[in-house]
Amino acid sequence: MWAILGALPERIEVFVDHAKSPTSANEFFDALYHTKKVIIRLDIGTNYSHRCDSDLALVDMTVNWLAKLPIHEFQFMTFLSIPAEILGVLHLAPLLGSLHLQNVQDCDHVALSECKSLWELSFTELFDDGESPERIAQRLVRVLKGTKIELLKMSLRGGWEEEIPSDFMNFVAVLLQHGLHKQPGPPGYFVCRKLE
């Protein structure tokens, strides 16, 4: 494992989805750590997330490594809920600058105000939980309070912003009232920046 990772460039993107066992996952993360790779982005896939639901040893091992690895961007690429234990250590990731979560409820388990480098927060399913867009905007404002987060990115899957423009305008109005301003962003995303 070390020889393979050692031959890779200094800066890498990592996608982890299949782990035969917590031991094999531990060996992989250990090799990443000891070869001193800079992890530009770490994505955890659905299979790995599903395994975490039933394997506490895998969760514990993942928690251990997330607090040590030099991860710049982190995303759970899954529709499954993210274990609270994993979310609870993300503030310890020393270089974490960008965090991708499913919804605003995931923020309840992350000590965002303690994330020293976190400047970007994005959501893939922010508008899928049945709450009104205005209420979601109010929750986002509370989440951002006391953090260093400057940029918010929210997936607009489902096109509700076109179907119910008044709800979308209310969402934007709440963000504007609290110093967040719309920015250009990738297709399918609403992006706003916190202005001092």
Side-chain angles (χ1 to χ4, degrees), residues 71-166:
I71 302 163
H72 289 263
E73 185 175 349
F74 182 73
Q75 177 172 4
F76 264 85
M77 300 182 71
T78 178
F79 57 89
L80 300 171
S81 61
I82 303 167
E85 297 90 344
I86 290 174
L87 292 170
V89 297
L90 292 179
H91 68 283
L92 299 174
L95 302 174
L96 186 63
S98 180
L99 178 60
H100 305 270
L101 299 173
Q102 290 177 318
N103 53 50
V104 76
Q105 289 85 353
D106 288 339
C107 294
D108 295 342
H109 303 289
V110 183
L112 293 172
S113 62
E114 295 179 34
C115 294
K116 294 178 177 32
S117 307
L118 189 63
W119 64 274
E120 179 186 50
L121 184 60
S122 71
F123 299 95
T124 53
E125 298 178 15
L126 189 64
F127 304 106
D128 292 348
D129 68 357
E131 274 192 88
S132 73
E134 189 173 354
R135 184 160 167 98
I136 291 169
Q138 291 165 349
R139 287 187 73 176
L140 283 172
V141 168
R142 284 194 302 275
V143 160
L144 293 178
K145 219 174 220 168
T147 73
K148 295 182 178 182
I149 298 167
E150 299 172 13
L151 196 69
L152 270 180
K153 288 167 63 176
M154 296 146 277
S155 172
L156 296 175
R157 285 186 307 166
W160 68 268
E161 77 284 3
E162 294 170 2
E163 294 171 15
I164 315 171
S166 61

Side-chain angles (χ1 to χ4, degrees), residues 26-53:
N26 189 60
E27 288 170 3
F28 175 73
F29 286 125
D30 183 63
L32 271 178
Y33 181 75
H34 285 96
T35 54
K36 303 199 182 311
K37 297 297 180 188
V38 174
I39 303 167
I40 299 168
R41 179 178 172 130
L42 174 63
D43 291 335
I44 301 291
T46 299
N47 290 315
Y48 193 94
S49 300
H50 183 68
R51 187 99 189 256
C52 283
D53 278 346

